Amino acid sequence: MEPEPNDEQKLEEIMTLQENSAESSPMHGFALIDFDYPIQCLKNPLKPQYNGGIVVNSEFNDGLNGWSLAGGAKIGNNVSSDGNKFIVASERKGSYHGFSQTFQLDKDKFYVISGWVQVNHGDDTSIAVIFKTQSGFQHAAWVNAKSGCWSMFKGGLANASGPAQLYFETNNTSIDIWADSISVQPFSQEEWESHQNQSIEKVRKSKVAIQVVDSQGKPLPNATISVEQRRADFSFGVTINKNILNNNAYQNWFFSRFKVTVFEDEMKWYSTEATQGNVNYSTADAMVELCKSKGVAVRGHNILWDDPNHQPTWVPALSPQQLSVAADKRVESVVAKYKGEIFHWDVINENLHFNFFESKLGPNASTHFFRLASQFDNTTLFLNDFFTIEKTYETSSPANYLKKIKQLRKEGYGGPLGIGLQGHFSLPIPPYIRSALDMLASAKLPIWITELDVTNTTNQVIFLDQIIKEVVSHPAVEGVLIWSAWKRYGCYRMCLTDKNFNNLPTGDVVDKTRVTLSHEGLVGITNAEGYFETSLFHGDYKAIVAHPSVPKSFQYNFTVTPNGGSDHVKSLSYKFTTA
């Protein structure tokens, strides 16, 4: 067994990653977007991303030039024993008191914010990175800082213009805040979209060259190749509910489009055990069977819910001992019943925001339920919470999400674990979404966008399209589920169709994404050398080949695999013969 790398080795590896990223930069001499986020707390901070961007004196090698005092505090330029220079705010009189720098922001640009912080004592001090703008205070990032090593923060800002004052805030005024390698990098929306497209091509797709030859091995020009996707590596689906069971129009609309889904309410505890001891899975069973008959995979949502307002009506009155027995029975009942039929389970929903079970059963309740569920099915068990990528809230910040993962592991859950991000958006901040995903990706766990919707505003369609493209372009995301189960009286927050299952504009956005991801309707013609070249999303495909000289068409199955992330890997090549 090889020894665990030390901090210096980790530092060298991360710096090599950043150097390689910079060397492959398409614009401005630096990587257009840097996805990296080192999860380790390091002895020394790394160099600032994007060379600091528009920050003056980002590494504090020029004293306090560019930086000013915010509130009542003492600020100074310190030097570590190995010569690293950084800024320190001490004798702070208020939560935001310390150091600051002012920037002129452009409302049409996106800003990626990053840097490194440390505190002089304590462990896990929550620090907010905030901009004071003309429209108010905007949180750009959260970080849990430690003493004795440097922690990276990463965040984003958008929809802000004019002067903006950057500062750092923590409620504990007895703590000194240290900072270094601070970066504020603006991107035009054109640059941002260009990088999304580059990332999709690089991490989601591979170039494919298909050659058609005759029985003697000679190239066949003008052969027609129809490409059908049989299975996608990247999952894209929509929520359904019990209304689909007796509604042919609903079934036709949904099953003609999607191969993955999640149920809105039908598997939740309050739906399957409305009265204690009377467990009824008939509706969920019917929906599972219907999906199975159509080749649609079902995600499990949810086993338990930590919100006290979403328990079965009989549960809140239980004593702790009674609750423990009832909850354990619930876990075993639903997980064992659907073993092998559900590809994920949200185990204890929203337990960054709420603590119903922890308040009754103790702080280790979450870990207990994860461990219990894993005994009945070895599928991936997920955390699932809101406002981790939608808003810059401390409670469910990426930093606190990572902290929850560490807690589960420390308390003994070692099984398959996934990161579920609900994605209930109002006003999206694309650079914050991306930075949050970067931070979460450092855990090296599957990430799914589990309940994506956008509130009904004048820009709903634009925002939905923007968010979908953002999450699809991020290499760490493995699937997206749109939260839009149909009801006659209206959906939860966002409908995709009208009452007659005609697409609304939001449905058109979802259809456009689905068609793009699946290459629906893709037909190509071979050139003089018998080749058809294209770029396909990773997955399994069927090619139907026809040519005027051949009496009937031929079918071939093939798989498009990742090329390892290299821009220089040759196309995947396939040779189909009409013999």
Side-chain angles (χ1 to χ4, degrees), residues 491-556:
C491 310
Y492 172 62
R493 291 174 87 235
M494 181 182 79
C495 283
L496 300 182
T497 72
D498 62 18
K499 293 181 180 180
N500 297 314
F501 294 94
N502 299 306
N503 268 12
L504 298 170
T506 48
D508 288 340
V509 169
V510 170
D511 262 350
K512 182 184 74 172
T513 302
R514 177 185 59 80
V515 169
T516 299
L517 290 170
S518 67
H519 305 288
E520 185 177 294
L522 176 60
V523 178
I525 305 294
T526 57
N527 62 17
E529 288 76 39
Y531 278 101
F532 167 60
E533 297 184 4
T534 188
S535 177
L536 297 178
F537 284 91
H538 303 140
D540 296 334
Y541 289 85
K542 176 174 70 175
I544 303 172
V545 182
H547 191 270
S549 67
V550 181
K552 65 176 183 178
S553 62
F554 290 79
Q555 279 189 199
Y556 296 88

Side-chain angles (χ1 to χ4, degrees), residues 71 96 125 145 151 183 191 249 255 270 278 284 332 364 385 387 390-391 408 425 430 445 452 491 505 513-515 553:
Y96 68 90
T125 298
S151 299
S183 173
E191 287 174 324
F255 290 116
Y270 57 64
N278 183 18
E332 177 179 0
N364 299 339
D385 224 305
F387 290 174
E390 305 98 307
K391 296 178 182 291
L408 288 173
F425 284 90
L445 299 174
L452 178 57
C491 310
T513 302
R514 177 185 59 80
V515 169
S553 62

Side-chain angles (χ1 to χ4, degrees), residues 13 87 176 337 363 528:
E13 290 170 5
I87 194 170
D176 296 351
K337 176 174 178 55

Side-chain angles (χ1 to χ4, degrees), residues 155-209:
L157 193 68
N159 311 308
S161 62
Q165 183 183 12
L166 167 67
Y167 63 94
F168 299 79
E169 180 178 83
T170 183
N171 291 328
N172 189 344
T173 57
S174 69
I175 284 177
D176 296 351
I177 301 175
W178 305 2
D180 201 0
S181 294
I182 298 173
S183 173
V184 177
Q185 177 59 45
F187 294 99
S188 70
Q189 295 188 32
E190 292 74 20
E191 287 174 324
W192 199 265
E193 186 172 355
S194 173
H195 181 266
Q196 288 176 330
N197 293 331
Q198 290 175 37
S199 181
I200 288 171
E201 285 295 326
K202 185 173 182 178
V203 304
R204 301 283 180 216
K205 303 173 75 176
S206 291
K207 294 178 181 178
V208 174

Side-chain angles (χ1 to χ4, degrees), residues 8 57 59 68 85 88 123 126 133 144 147 154 213 262 280 283 314 354 395 397 402 408 443 467 469 523:
E8 294 301 322
N57 190 23
E59 295 183 80
S68 59
K85 296 178 181 178
V88 173
D123 198 18
S126 182
T133 70
N144 292 325
S147 61
K154 200 169 187 181
V213 298
V262 63
N280 185 345
T283 301
W314 53 271
F354 305 107
T395 300
S397 69
L402 291 172
L408 288 173
I467 296 161
K469 195 165 187 181
V523 178

